[in-house]
Amino acid sequence: MSETTNAAFGYLALSLDKLRDYNSRMTRWHVSREVMVNTFDRHDFAFKWSYAEMAPLITGLSYDWAIKQTAKCIGELAELTRPDVDLKADKRAKTQRDLFAAPDFAPPPLTITCKPGDNLDHLADASVDLVVMDPPYYDNVMYAELSDFFYVWLKRTAGHVYPELFRRALTDKEQEAVANPAKFRGQPGAKALAGRDYQERMASIFAECRRVLKSNGLMTLMFTHKATGAWDALTTGLITAGFVITASWPINTEAEGSLHIKDKSAANSTVFLVCRPRTAPADGAETLYWEDLEPRVRAAVRGRIQGFQQAGIRGVDLYLSCFGPALEEFSRHWPVQRGTPRPEPEFERRRPKQAELFAEKPDPYAATPEDALDAARREVKRWRLEQLTHLKRQAELDPPTEWFVLAWDAFQAPQFPFDEALRLARVVGIDLDREIIGRLAEKKASNVILWDSGTRAAKGALGPPDGSKGWIDSIHHAASRARNQTLQAAADLLTRVGATQEPVFLSALEAVLEVLPPSRAFTGIDPLDAVAPAAGDFEALENLRRLAFADRVDKPTQLALWEESA
């Protein structure tokens, strides 16, 4: 067969795979849009209780639609390679004639290879001006496992035309740069081993990129992951490979309604990093200590955070956006040493240490990118608490209340990963297992689920109403009483225990009202089922504020914004 015929069969095979993505037991019907939803509307093999299939032989749909989708992609690719031909989608028929009738065109030299990123032996040292990378996202997506869905069918179609590409029974899982615990199944600490495997593979890839990049070249990469561990693994590999981060920007890359983030504490933003090859330090250059560098990292974050917030970045994305400037400052001075060994909180000592799984112990005097990320989190914490309490009172919130407020502010959902809850506890200085789990929240699998006042009351988890163990107890006692009795009963309780005269309680109430989701009574929109209990607390507390504290606690900013938009 000719090369053109082979290509046609290859494109047809891709069209059939497109059709299979919309015809499986994991496809469903989108009721409001009245369209099919494909198998991978999420990055996993999510089970569907009921499924729908696309009728294959309806004119204009199914086969026709899948082939047109492939043709559209071909046209867009051809437009990139043939700038001399107008290839607009609305001129498809004329486009096809023009493309084949167009005069010969000599595009610039282009080489496409499918080689591992850690083995660019076809490229000479210092021969590349720019490396553009969208690296694998740690443990978010298992690309090879998901690709098997398509691979087994492509092998039966395109495999007859390009058999050299389909020699394996399934896709290669071993060489993939992801943090996949399944690769270490049966071994102690599979998750930690997977994280280390990802870091080592990315370091090897970055080192090869550093080899082929010119001394004045650039490398750009994008990364979206809310877990500090993922960032630490990626940037450790990046910095040790010989790169310095010179600029960073957050970019909104996820649609609000995407099922990848819907009802989850997921990030909407991707952080775009610009890196350059590191120059060798001058002979005799003094080592910079982390104790001297940390204030610079915090200042770098403080200098950018207001701009990020004014640009509409909020929640967990605000923390992620500040990782960029923190890592910029850290990478400029790497390697960094500590004057004293890394302190370990008491509650961290009781947790199994990942280091014990490896023969090579980490140096307690070596600063790591995670130190910079923790510094960034602490600075964002200070900034957000200042915003949430409107700078009117100088009293600091107690740790349990601070953790509760920051958790809702950062994740904007009652459920989020346990590891992130632990890092937030470390920033606040609280023992997550002893002071949060079973009191303000529960642990379920690898997640933490925040409790509302009703759940805490039903579980007998409410502390004393006088705030002696945290003002969040007083606030939840008041919310529970307002929801089940009357607003006046809630106000009387707070007066009796003396909370109304405490500036810290007023700050806590103000902050809680800023972060809890508002109810339908104030927005006219039903909250999501997952946040409805917390919205009930908001309604009770806002009505209580209007009754008893209107002269001392401002109206929540989020309500003012709702009223303006209405």
Side-chain angles (χ1 to χ4, degrees), residues 188-207:
K191 184 176 180 180
L193 291 168
R196 176 152 177 165
D197 180 59
Y198 174 83
Q199 178 179 320
E200 291 174 348
R201 290 181 184 277
M202 290 309 304
S204 179
I205 292 169
F206 288 138

Side-chain angles (χ1 to χ4, degrees), residues 284-498:
E286 293 185 2
T287 300
L288 184 65
Y289 286 93
W290 171 245
E291 290 80 359
D292 297 322
L293 180 59
E294 185 178 14
R296 300 190 198 180
V297 172
R298 294 202 310 268
V301 171
R302 177 66 68 146
R304 299 277 295 278
I305 187 172
Q306 184 171 1
F308 292 151
Q309 187 167 287
Q310 290 175 346
I313 298 173
R314 54 194 174 84
V316 68
D317 288 297
L318 190 61
Y319 287 83
L320 291 183
S321 298
C322 290
F323 284 178
L327 291 171
E328 286 179 47
E329 191 67 31
F330 181 85
S331 66
R332 291 191 190 104
H333 304 283
W334 190 89
V336 182
Q337 290 293 314
R338 289 177 166 275
T340 57
R342 178 180 287 103
E344 186 177 24
E346 188 276 331
F347 54 89
E348 285 282 351
R349 297 190 195 107
R350 301 194 309 270
R351 293 175 57 81
K353 297 181 178 62
Q354 293 183 1
E356 294 175 357
L357 300 171
F358 311 115
E360 181 182 343
K361 304 297 183 183
D363 181 359
Y365 287 92
T368 68
E370 188 165 4
D371 293 318
L373 301 181
D374 283 344
R377 283 179 178 275
R378 288 194 296 273
E379 198 59 36
V380 175
K381 165 207 152 181
R382 293 189 187 98
W383 172 268
R384 286 305 299 152
L385 287 176
E386 290 172 4
Q387 305 304 304
L388 294 171
T389 55
H390 304 170
L391 292 172
K392 292 199 308 182
R393 286 172 283 273
Q394 297 300 316
E396 292 187 2
L397 302 182
D398 57 272
T401 305
E402 191 173 276
W403 184 90
F404 180 87
V405 167
L406 290 172
W408 266 109
D409 181 57
F411 303 111
Q412 300 177 341
Q415 180 170 310
F416 44 90
F418 180 85
D419 286 348
E420 288 308 292
L422 183 64
R423 288 187 173 91
L424 188 60
R426 183 167 59 190
V427 168
V428 172
I430 194 171
D431 188 324
L432 183 69
D433 291 319
R434 290 184 177 180
E435 299 179 71
I436 299 297
I437 301 303
R439 181 185 171 196
L440 287 170
E442 65 180 299
K443 182 181 179 183
K444 187 174 183 180
S446 60
N447 292 318
V448 167
I449 302 176
L450 288 169
W451 289 340
D452 68 302
S453 65
T455 303
R456 291 188 70 193
K459 292 180 176 291
L462 281 171
D466 61 2
S468 56
K469 290 189 176 181
W471 289 113
I472 189 61
D473 291 331
S474 303
I475 291 170
H476 273 164
H477 269 290
S480 178
R481 186 160 294 197
R483 293 173 68 176
N484 296 299
Q485 299 180 29
T486 64
L487 288 173
Q488 190 59 53
D492 292 343
L493 171 67
L494 294 175
T495 300
R496 187 171 68 253
V497 299

Side-chain angles (χ1 to χ4, degrees), residues 189-232:
K191 184 176 180 180
L193 291 168
R196 176 152 177 165
D197 180 59
Y198 174 83
Q199 178 179 320
E200 291 174 348
R201 290 181 184 277
M202 290 309 304
S204 179
I205 292 169
F206 288 138
E208 188 69 348
C209 292
R210 174 68 180 85
R211 179 186 68 80
V212 303
L213 196 64
K214 294 179 180 178
S215 60
N216 62 346
L218 287 175
M219 181 171 74
T220 67
L221 56 90
M222 334 169 34
F223 199 63
T224 300
H225 206 294
K226 59 182 175 290
T228 307
W231 278 91
D232 183 64

Side-chain angles (χ1 to χ4, degrees), residues 11-23 36 53-72 153 157:
Y11 289 132
L12 183 58
L14 295 177
S15 299
L16 292 175
D17 256 27
K18 178 82 173 180
L19 195 58
R20 291 186 188 98
D21 191 22
Y22 285 82
N23 285 275
M36 290 291 304
E53 293 178 339
M54 183 181 289
L57 299 177
I58 297 178
T59 302
L61 299 176
S62 200
Y63 285 109
D64 290 347
W65 170 80
I67 292 171
K68 286 178 181 177
Q69 288 286 303
T70 304
K72 175 177 177 291
W153 290 105
T157 52

Side-chain angles (χ1 to χ4, degrees), residues 36-202:
M36 290 291 304
V37 178
N38 64 321
T39 300
F40 295 107
D41 59 336
R42 291 170 33 171
H43 295 148
D44 56 23
F45 288 106
F47 178 78
K48 306 296 193 302
W49 287 102
S50 60
Y51 62 93
E53 293 178 339
M54 183 181 289
L57 299 177
I58 297 178
T59 302
L61 299 176
S62 200
Y63 285 109
D64 290 347
W65 170 80
I67 292 171
K68 286 178 181 177
Q69 288 286 303
T70 304
K72 175 177 177 291
C73 294
I74 296 171
E76 292 171 348
L77 291 171
E79 188 172 5
L80 293 173
T81 58
R82 293 301 302 266
D84 58 320
V85 179
D86 187 4
L87 299 175
K88 300 301 181 185
D90 59 347
K91 302 176 181 178
R92 187 173 292 110
K94 182 177 181 298
T95 288
Q96 293 171 351
R97 292 195 301 271
D98 288 350
L99 184 60
F100 287 100
D104 291 339
F105 175 74
L110 176 68
T111 302
I112 299 176
T113 62
C114 295
K115 291 190 175 183
D118 59 356
N119 184 15
L120 305 176
D121 54 4
H122 59 293
L123 296 175
D125 294 356
S127 61
V128 174
D129 295 293
L130 175 65
V131 175
V132 179
M133 184 186 303
D134 187 0
Y137 290 161
Y138 198 61
D139 59 355
N140 264 9
V141 185
M142 301 302 146
Y143 305 92
E145 291 180 359
L146 300 180
S147 296
D148 282 340
F149 176 89
F150 299 102
Y151 181 88
V152 295
W153 290 105
L154 281 172
K155 190 172 184 177
R156 290 160 172 77
T157 52
H160 292 286
V161 184
Y162 302 104
E164 68 277 7
L165 300 179
F166 299 92
R167 292 172 180 165
R168 291 177 172 271
L170 294 172
T171 56
D172 181 9
K173 316 293 190 304
E174 293 302 317
Q175 303 305 314
E176 187 179 25
V178 293
N180 189 354
K183 293 165 64 173
F184 302 93
R185 184 177 300 150
Q187 300 182 42
K191 184 176 180 180
L193 291 168
R196 176 152 177 165
D197 180 59
Y198 174 83
Q199 178 179 320
E200 291 174 348
R201 290 181 184 277
M202 290 309 304

